[in-house]
Amino acid sequence: MAKLYFYYASMNAGKSTNLLQADFNYRERGMATMLFTAGIDERFAAGTITSRIGLEAAATPFDATTEIAACVADRHAHEALSCVLVDEAQFLSADQVDQLAHVADVVGIPVLAYGLRTDFLGALFPGSARLLALADALVEIKSVCTCGRKATMNLRVDAAGKAVAQGRQTEIGGNDLYIALCRRHFTEALGRRHFTEALVR
Ligand SMILES: Nc1ncnc2c1ncn2[C@@H]1O[C@H](COP(=O)(O)OP(=O)(O)O)[C@@H](O)[C@H]1O
Ligand SMILES: Cc1cn([C@H]2C[C@H](O)[C@@H](COP(=O)(O)O)O2)c(=O)[nH]c1=O
Ligand SMILES: [Zn+2]
């Protein structure tokens, strides 16, 4: 039975690299894949998944209106797909994650979704919340804080490197805007009061 996997991590942990390696594995065996990534993330060429170590592949951009199950069914009708891979899965809606579960369960294609678990305040993204609830397998991709502990959180910083404690959940950026930290250093940088406020919102 095909499964829905959620590979989650903090920023800069190697999610896109891992996705591109999985994709390469399928393709070198002559198996077709379909890749999705968030259309709003235009840090690199639109419709491209790029890892910081130089690998890249073409992907279908998704936004809030994308009917992912229909896109997969269309492609699958022309070429039998062996795997669907989704980057930036934190930006999926709950309904789009349900569609990915349908792709695995009914269409029978394994789905590998890669994304952040939590935002800059330590709160779940909608897509991540649904994936944590539904995925058959939750796989953590680990990275390291400056102190050597596991970096599970994403601190947003301003131009002066100061922690940002409020703002909209979606703010596209890279190392200029975010630092992956362990929970202890994240909480200290943010101030425990802000951290708790975000969680009870
Ligand atoms: N020029 C580089 N050469 C080798 N590794 C790099 C380079 N730049 C970044 N990295 C490493 O690549 C990883 C980030 O990969 P990426 O797949 O883009 O992460 P994510 O998708 O989780 O944000 C990090 O481990 C980072 O240290
Ligand atoms: C923590 C956090 C992140 N984002 C954005 C920033 C990046 O554009 C992506 C994550 O990219 P990566 O592949 O993991 O490097 O998400 C955001 O919009 N809001 C946040 O709180
Ligand atoms: Zn730390």
Side-chain angles (χ1 to χ4, degrees), residues 144-151 181-186:
V144 179
C145 178
T146 47
C147 69
R149 292 188 189 88
K150 192 164 67 174
L181 293 174
C182 70
R183 187 179 58 230
R184 175 178 168 178
H185 285 121
F186 171 82

Side-chain angles (χ1 to χ4, degrees), residues 131-187:
L131 279 160
L132 289 169
L134 283 195
D136 297 292
L138 302 173
V139 185
E140 185 175 30
I141 300 174
K142 297 181 180 69
S143 68
V144 179
C145 178
T146 47
C147 69
R149 292 188 189 88
K150 192 164 67 174
T152 54
M153 314 301 287
N154 304 296
L155 185 73
R156 186 180 288 169
V157 293
D158 62 19
K162 229 173 133 280
V164 174
Q166 54 189 0
R168 49 184 193 176
Q169 186 177 53
T170 300
E171 188 81 57
I172 301 306
N175 295 343
D176 51 326
L177 210 55
Y178 296 97
I179 308 172
L181 293 174
C182 70
R183 187 179 58 230
R184 175 178 168 178
H185 285 121
F186 171 82
T187 310

Side-chain angles (χ1 to χ4, degrees), residues 9-18 50-53 87-88:
S10 57
M11 286 184 64
N12 212 10
K15 297 182 295 298
S16 302
T17 307
N18 205 302
T50 308
S51 88
R52 292 174 171 88
I53 56 171
D87 205 7
E88 309 293 349

